[in-house]
Amino acid sequence: MKKIAALMLLLCLLLGGCAKSGPVETEIFAMDTYMRIRVWGDSGLVSDVCDEIYRLETLFSVTDEKGEIFALNRDGKAALSAETAELLAKAAALSERTGGAFDPTVYPLVRAWGFTADEQRVPAQDELSALLPSVGVEHLQLNGTEAVLTGGAQLDLGGIAKGYTAQKCLLYLENEGVQTAMVSLGGNVQTLGTKPDGSAWVIGIADPNEPSEAVATLTFTGSMALVTSGGYQRCFEKDGVRYHHILDPETGLPAGSGLASVTVITSDGTTADALSTALFVMGLEKGAEFWRGSDDFEAVFITQEGKIVATEGAAAMLGGCEFEVLAR
Ligand code: ADP
Ligand code: MG
């Protein structure tokens, strides 16, 4: 009897301990991907975060008629909310910074490939060539919260919206007094603070050949955004050729830069998302040069041959695999 009581007590302590320091967690499907939200603290905040995600999903969607990007694409001009205008300004700046490798005006191309409607097809070269002149961030004019699209341009924020949303969610939680949280929105992970037990965050990098498995881990403490762009996501095969959803805005074709994935690590989720897409388009060599000219992010590149290359700062966090280090 005593033994059972002692066991019960131990169980209570364990469960009690967990309830006190463990996170409240939920999973939702939004922005066309699975998302996980973990908050250490007030459980009600998790559903607030979900509402916030659904709200931003509508705002930035290319297909939701209630959204601002939908209206801007349809009408060629729109009066935007401060949030959408903020995201567009950031997207335009990141497009310029990356020499157009990240380009929020790729929507005509994305549609031609059928990625939006999930009706993938291989467009003819003529069709792509006809669309290319409308692609380019110079076609997006922002005047405060007024936006105008010229030259038949249309926006697709798929390469940046999840990063912005992750950033916004954590900012909301921080303002609510939460000290520790983590969101994982598709390939976009962002952490807030340090876990109550002081243990480090350990985030897996998906194996491009087996995306449900981790090929490596990144270990760190504190607030950080880690975003992976991979050619293994949203892809299809036609006549034995594999086509994926990250397009080279110069050619209109899926970026064939020799990379299987890129993970960007930086403090700002929006920047991390745009840069991961951009570096995937650039490839290892150009991406390494771009990193050497920057001082606000680290990256892990995985080549199509399976070679893992980490920038100096990323190398310090990377484990569970063999890798090469990129020096400055
Ligand atoms: P994911 O959305 O799978 O996390 P990314 O962040 O790399 O991956 O974004 C890819 C999405 O961004 C595509 O599905 C498309 O909507 C859009 N996109 C494709 N190519 C580009 C590009 N070169 N620049 C900006 N956005 C792009
Ligand atoms: Mg991205």
Side-chain angles (χ1 to χ4, degrees):
M1 198 59 191
K2 250 188 196 165
K3 254 190 192 164
I4 292 174
L7 212 67
M8 292 284 282
L9 183 66
L10 186 69
L11 205 66
C12 284
L13 284 174
L14 281 175
L15 290 175
C18 284
K20 231 175 166 184
S21 60
V24 185
E25 184 171 330
T26 195
E27 248 186 64
I28 59 169
F29 189 84
M31 299 186 174
D32 212 16
T33 191
Y34 288 97
M35 304 187 161
R36 189 145 42 98
I37 298 112
R38 276 195 210 168
V39 178
W40 278 257
D42 183 353
S43 59
L45 293 173
V46 174
S47 62
D48 290 356
V49 167
C50 294
D51 291 345
E52 181 68 357
I53 291 172
Y54 293 132
R55 187 179 69 79
L56 294 175
E57 176 181 31
T58 298
L59 221 49
F60 305 146
S61 166
V62 286
T63 51
D64 190 330
E65 293 176 18
K66 299 189 292 299
E68 293 191 353
I69 297 303
F70 182 91
L72 178 55
N73 282 345
R74 183 192 54 209
D75 302 337
K77 61 179 172 41
L80 306 171
S81 63
E83 271 168 323
T84 306
E86 180 196 16
L87 179 53
L88 288 194
K90 281 194 176 179
L94 284 156
S95 186
E96 272 162 33
R97 179 180 164 189
T98 59
F102 169 79
D103 191 327
T105 67
V106 287
Y107 189 47
L109 300 172
V110 174
R111 221 180 23 201
W113 284 93
F115 282 114
T116 307
D118 234 350
E119 289 165 359
Q120 287 95 336
R121 59 189 273 274
V122 182
Q125 188 54 54
D126 285 359
E127 189 183 345
L128 291 176
S129 301
L131 294 173
L132 286 176
S134 67
V135 176
V137 82
E138 67 277 9
H139 295 303
L140 167 63
Q141 291 167 7
L142 274 172
N143 189 0
T145 53
E146 297 279 329
V148 176
L149 292 172
T150 60
Q154 292 198 308
L155 299 181
D156 177 342
L157 300 180
I160 194 168
K162 289 199 291 286
Y164 178 85
T165 302
Q167 182 76 32
K168 274 275 170 167
C169 290
L170 291 195
L171 204 63
Y172 168 78
L173 290 170
E174 201 176 2
N175 288 336
E176 291 294 318
V178 170
Q179 290 183 349
T180 311
M182 188 195 97
V183 295
S184 176
L185 317 183
N188 294 240
V189 174
Q190 194 160 349
T191 63
L192 170 68
T194 299
K195 284 189 255 175
D197 64 2
S199 63
W201 298 107
V202 183
I203 308 294
I205 297 179
D207 181 344
N209 296 317
E210 199 69 58
S212 60
E213 307 277 325
V215 73
T217 54
L218 289 161
T219 304
F220 59 94
T221 52
S223 304
M224 197 74 82
L226 305 92
V227 177
T228 300
S229 284
Y232 54 86
Q233 280 160 332
R234 287 171 225 273
C235 53
F236 68 98
E237 254 184 55
K238 178 93 201 293
D239 301 331
V241 183
R242 206 158 185 231
Y243 300 93
H244 61 73
H245 71 137
I246 303 174
L247 304 177
D248 183 338
E250 274 194 11
T251 62
L253 300 169
S257 63
L259 291 176
S261 80
V262 183
T263 301
V264 168
I265 306 149
T266 185
S267 56
D268 178 67
T270 315
T271 306
D273 197 0
L275 290 187
S276 71
T277 307
L279 291 177
F280 187 93
V281 172
M282 287 180 201
L284 180 55
E285 221 168 285
K286 274 196 196 162
E289 268 322 297
F290 182 79
W291 169 71
R292 289 192 183 97
S294 308
D295 62 2
D296 62 342
F297 75 92
E298 301 295 338
V300 179
F301 301 85
I302 304 182
T303 69
Q304 270 170 354
E305 294 79 40
K307 191 169 76 174
I308 301 179
V309 182
T311 62
E312 273 170 357
M317 305 178 212
L318 194 60
C321 65
E322 283 185 18
F323 59 90
E324 286 176 20
V325 183
L326 269 183
R328 279 232 178 251

